[in-house]
Amino acid sequence: MQAQRSQVAVKLLPSLTDFAFLMPIIFLFARMEGVKTLLSDCDTGWHIRTGEWILANGAVPLHDIFSFSKPDGVWYAWEWLSEIVWAGLNAHGGLRTVVFFSMMLICATFTLLFRLVSRKANPVIAIAVTMVAAAGSSIHWLARPHLFTLFFLVVFYRALENVRDGRTHLSRVPYLAVLPVVTLLWVNLHGGFFVGIILIGSYGVAELLNIVFSPDASQRGPAWIKARRYLFSAGACFVASFVNPYSYHLHVHVVQYLRDPYQATHIMEFLSLSFHHPVAIFFESMLLLGAGAAIWNASRRSNVEAVVLLVWAHAALLAARNIPIFMIVAAPPVAAALNAWFELSPAWNVAAWIKNAAQKFVRVIGETAEIDSLPRWHAASVLGALVLAALLYAPHPPKLFRSEFDPKSYPAGALAMLSRDSATRVFTNDEWGDYLIYRLYPRTKVFVDGRSDFYGDDFEEKYVDILNVKYGWEKTLGQFGVNTILLPPTAPLAGALKESSRWRVVYDDGIAVVFRSVQKTVGQPFSVTSNRDGPGRDREVTKTQASDRGITEAKPKT
C-alpha cells in the first residue's frame, strides 16, 4: 500500500517536460509584459476580421476589403486557414481565447523541442538549452499565424531526426512521405511553409557533402540513397504547397515579399537585431555555441548540423524574424555537443578544481536524468494551463493577464468620435490602421495598415513621406480624400498639423490627437478632450520604420 502511494506521489511530481511546457508562461509573465506582449502587434485584429469575412462569405478574398486608398486592389489572404481559426477563437471568448490558444501553441512547441533535445543530451542540459532557445525566440511571441510555423518546424525536425536515427516509419508509413501531407496543412496556415522544405533540403545537401568528402568509397552509395530520399521528400512538399486557394500565386508572392528591398529597409522585423536588445544575449550565446557545435560535428564527418546551423544563422543575422527559427534548429546540436564535451571532462587539460567540478556536474545530471525518467501524469502542466485560463477569464484579471490591445498604446478613446461619421477618411500610422480595422470595420475603412506586401513600395514610400512631413505630403492626402488624421501627440506630422491653418484639433486625450480638415469642421461643434498623461506610441518590431530615422523613430519590441 505504501509503495503504491509512493508511486502515485512520484507520478504527480513535475518533470522537466512539465517545466518545458510551463517555461514560456513563466517567462512571458515574469520577465516580459504578459498578454500585452502577445497583443503588442495589432495585426492580430485584421487576421480576426479576415477570418470573419471568409466565414461569412464562404470564400477566400481576392480583392482588398479593408482600405479606401486601394479599393478592390488585388489581395490574397495567404494565411486564410489561420484566420478562420483566429476568428473562431474570437467568436468563443474574444481575445482571451485567442491569447490562450496562442500561449498553448508556444508551450506545445517548446515541449516538443525539449523532447527532441533530450534525445540528444542529458535532460538537464536539454532543459537549459531549451530555455535559452525559448528566451531568444520570445522576440517574436505574438498572437499571429506565424506561431504555426514554429510548431510545424519542430514537427518536421523531429521527423527528420527520427529518419536519421533509423526510425524511418510512423505506423508503417515513411516519415518522408508524411511530411508532404503535413505541408498541405502548413501552407494554408502560414506562408512560412518553405521553412520545412528548406530544412528537408538541408538534410539532403548534407548527405551530398558526405558523398563529396567521404574518404570511404563504400559510404558513398548509402549517402546517395539518403540524399535522394530527402530531396525527393522536399520536392514532394514543394508540389504539395501548390494545394492552396491561390495556387502558384502564393509562391510568387513569397518570393517577391522576401526579395522586396522596401521590407528589408523599412519593416522592423526584416532588419538585423540590435545587439543592445534584451534578448540579444540569448541569441549571441546560441550563435557562439552553434558555431562550436557545427565545427565539432563537421570534424566528426557529420554535416547535417553544420548545414542547418549555417543556413539559419545567416538568416537570423539578416532579419530578426528568423531568430526564433535559428534558436529552435540550433538547440539539438548545441545540447548534443555540450553533453559530449562534459562527458569528456576527465580528459580536459585544465585546473584540477575545474575538472572535478565538471565531473561532479556530470554525476549530478546523470542522477537527475534517472529520476526524471520515471513515468509522470504531467499534472503540473495541466494545472498550469488551468491557472492561466482562470486568470485570463477572470471577471477582473490582473494587469498582466488583461486580453486587450493596450489602451495606453492604441487610440481607444478616439474611436467613439470616429465611429459616429461613416464618411470619415482617416489617415493614421499602419499599426493604428490595424487597430481601426479590428474596432471599426466594416463601418470605417483605412488608409494603410500592416499589410505592407499588399500596398507595395510606391504607396508605402508615399505613406512614409507623409509621416515625415516631406514635400507634397498634404497634396498626397488630398488625392486620397483624407479629411481626418489620427496620430500620437509626439508624431512629427502632429506638430506640423498644429501649425497648419488647414487642420483643426478636435480631440486630444494625450494618447491620440484627432485632426479634421477645416472644410469638414465648418459648422460642426468644436470639442477637445485633453489629458496629457498618455505616453507617445512605441512602434513595434513588426511595423514600418520610416527611412528618415532622425524624424520618425521606431523602437523594437522587448
Side-chain angles (χ1 to χ4, degrees):
M1 186 68 177
Q2 187 66 32
Q4 291 179 346
R5 290 179 178 176
S6 298
Q7 290 177 358
V8 170
V10 169
K11 290 180 179 180
L12 289 173
L13 290 174
S15 65
L16 291 177
T17 299
D18 291 311
F19 187 72
F21 180 86
L22 297 172
M23 176 176 49
I25 301 175
I26 296 170
F27 192 80
L28 182 70
F29 291 98
R31 188 181 184 275
M32 303 173 74
E33 295 184 282
V35 172
K36 180 181 176 181
T37 298
L38 292 176
L39 295 178
S40 58
D41 182 338
C42 207
D43 278 6
T44 306
W46 68 258
H47 283 301
I48 291 172
R49 297 299 174 232
T50 302
E52 291 172 345
W53 189 95
I54 294 171
L55 291 172
N57 290 273
V60 294
L62 299 176
H63 298 89
D64 180 46
I65 59 177
F66 294 130
S67 77
F68 65 81
S69 56
K70 295 191 69 174
D72 295 325
V74 176
W75 174 64
Y76 302 135
W78 313 108
E79 296 145 346
W80 67 276
L81 190 54
S82 289
E83 288 159 346
I84 289 177
V85 172
W86 256 233
L89 292 169
N90 187 68
H92 296 84
L95 286 176
R96 296 174 178 181
T97 309
V98 174
V99 166
F100 182 74
F101 177 83
S102 299
M103 201 65 244
M104 290 299 98
L105 192 54
I106 294 172
C107 291
T109 298
F110 287 98
T111 302
L112 288 176
L113 179 62
F114 167 72
R115 298 302 299 173
L116 172 60
V117 176
S118 61
R119 282 166 36 186
K120 304 290 183 179
N122 180 281
V124 176
I125 294 175
I127 195 65
V129 173
T130 304
M131 286 175 62
V132 174
S137 300
S138 66
I139 190 175
H140 214 30
W141 285 1
L142 300 165
R144 281 172 34 188
H146 73 280
L147 296 180
F148 285 110
T149 281
L150 300 184
F151 177 79
F152 282 117
L153 169 62
V154 179
V155 171
F156 269 52
Y157 207 176
R158 287 171 59 90
L160 291 169
E161 284 300 302
N162 282 339
V163 172
R164 190 179 175 204
D165 293 340
R167 298 190 293 274
T168 58
H169 288 67
L170 175 66
S171 299
R172 298 184 180 181
V173 180
Y175 275 108
L176 294 179
V178 172
L179 296 183
V181 178
V182 179
T183 301
L184 293 174
L185 182 61
W186 191 348
V187 70
N188 291 290
L189 285 167
H190 187 249
F193 65 91
F194 62 89
V195 173
I197 299 174
I198 292 174
L199 186 64
I200 303 173
S202 297
Y203 278 68
V205 169
E207 292 297 341
L208 293 178
L209 291 176
N210 288 337
I211 296 173
V212 173
F213 295 108
S214 176
D216 186 353
S218 64
Q219 297 297 319
R220 294 172 187 170
W224 172 242
I225 293 173
K226 292 177 182 178
R228 283 190 304 175
R229 289 173 179 171
Y230 286 127
L231 296 175
F232 182 81
S233 180
C237 288
F238 179 70
V239 172
S241 69
F242 285 87
V243 183
N244 69 83
Y246 305 111
S247 65
Y248 72 92
H249 293 289
L250 171 60
H251 302 73
V252 173
H253 166 74
V254 169
V255 172
Q256 292 176 341
Y257 187 57
L258 295 178
R259 294 180 61 187
D260 187 350
Y262 180 89
Q263 310 296 331
T265 56
H266 290 81
I267 304 301
M268 291 294 290
E269 68 182 29
F270 280 92
L271 300 180
S272 300
L273 177 73
S274 166
F275 281 87
H276 295 285
H277 195 285
V279 306
I281 185 63
F282 304 107
F283 179 44
E284 287 180 283
S285 300
M286 197 67 90
L287 275 175
L288 292 173
L289 291 170
I295 295 170
W296 180 71
N297 278 284
S299 68
R300 298 169 60 246
R301 306 189 188 283
S302 179
N303 294 312
V304 170
E305 294 83 359
V307 172
V308 170
L309 287 167
L310 179 63
V311 168
W312 291 109
H314 174 70
L317 288 168
L318 283 179
R321 67 180 294 156
N322 295 324
I323 290 176
I325 298 174
F326 168 74
M327 300 299 285
I328 287 173
V329 300
V334 164
L338 287 173
N339 193 78
W341 296 338
F342 275 111
E343 288 180 350
L344 294 173
S345 59
W348 289 359
N349 186 21
V350 295
W353 68 271
I354 297 178
K355 184 182 296 187
N356 292 335
Q359 292 176 9
K360 183 177 181 180
F361 175 73
V362 171
R363 287 195 300 271
V364 170
I365 64 174
E367 294 170 358
T368 304
E370 291 181 7
I371 297 172
D372 193 64
S373 66
L374 297 174
R376 311 295 173 88
W377 287 339
H378 302 296
S381 296
V382 175
L383 181 61
L386 291 175
V387 169
L388 175 62
L391 289 168
L392 290 174
Y393 287 90
H396 302 286
K399 182 178 180 180
L400 291 177
F401 296 86
R402 294 175 190 166
S403 299
E404 61 182 5
F405 294 108
D406 187 5
K408 292 184 178 180
S409 299
Y410 291 93
L415 293 196
M417 185 187 69
L418 294 176
S419 63
R420 289 196 295 264
D421 187 354
S422 59
T424 297
R425 285 199 165 198
V426 183
F427 172 87
T428 188
N429 61 48
D430 50 5
E431 179 74 359
W432 284 12
D434 296 337
Y435 186 68
L436 293 184
I437 291 173
Y438 176 69
R439 291 290 303 274
L440 300 182
Y441 178 80
R443 298 191 308 275
T444 300
K445 294 195 175 184
V446 300
F447 177 86
V448 70
D449 55 78
R451 298 169 299 150
S452 58
D453 56 323
F454 162 66
Y455 289 100
D457 291 5
D458 292 341
F459 183 91
E460 290 282 347
E461 290 288 357
K462 291 179 181 178
Y463 154 66
V464 172
D465 287 346
I466 295 171
L467 286 179
N468 285 334
V469 202
K470 290 191 174 180
Y471 179 78
W473 65 271
E474 205 162 12
K475 180 180 178 181
T476 303
L477 290 176
Q479 290 173 347
F480 289 98
V482 172
N483 52 37
T484 303
I485 299 178
L486 172 67
L487 292 169
T490 56
L493 180 58
L497 292 170
K498 288 178 181 179
E499 298 296 324
S500 174
S501 60
R502 297 186 180 92
W503 297 90
R504 186 179 185 182
V505 176
V506 296
Y507 180 91
D508 183 356
D509 63 4
I511 295 171
V513 184
V514 178
F515 298 88
R516 285 271 170 84
S517 65
V518 172
Q519 292 88 343
K520 185 171 178 60
T521 57
V522 171
Q524 295 184 2
F526 178 70
S527 173
V528 177
T529 301
S530 181
N531 178 358
R532 299 294 177 180
D533 294 334
R537 174 73 182 131
D538 184 9
R539 310 199 103 219
E540 304 298 341
V541 71
T542 54
K543 292 301 164 188
T544 302
Q545 172 180 305
S547 57
D548 188 344
R549 295 193 185 188
I551 298 176
T552 303
E553 291 295 334
K555 298 180 181 179
K557 184 187 281 85
T558 54

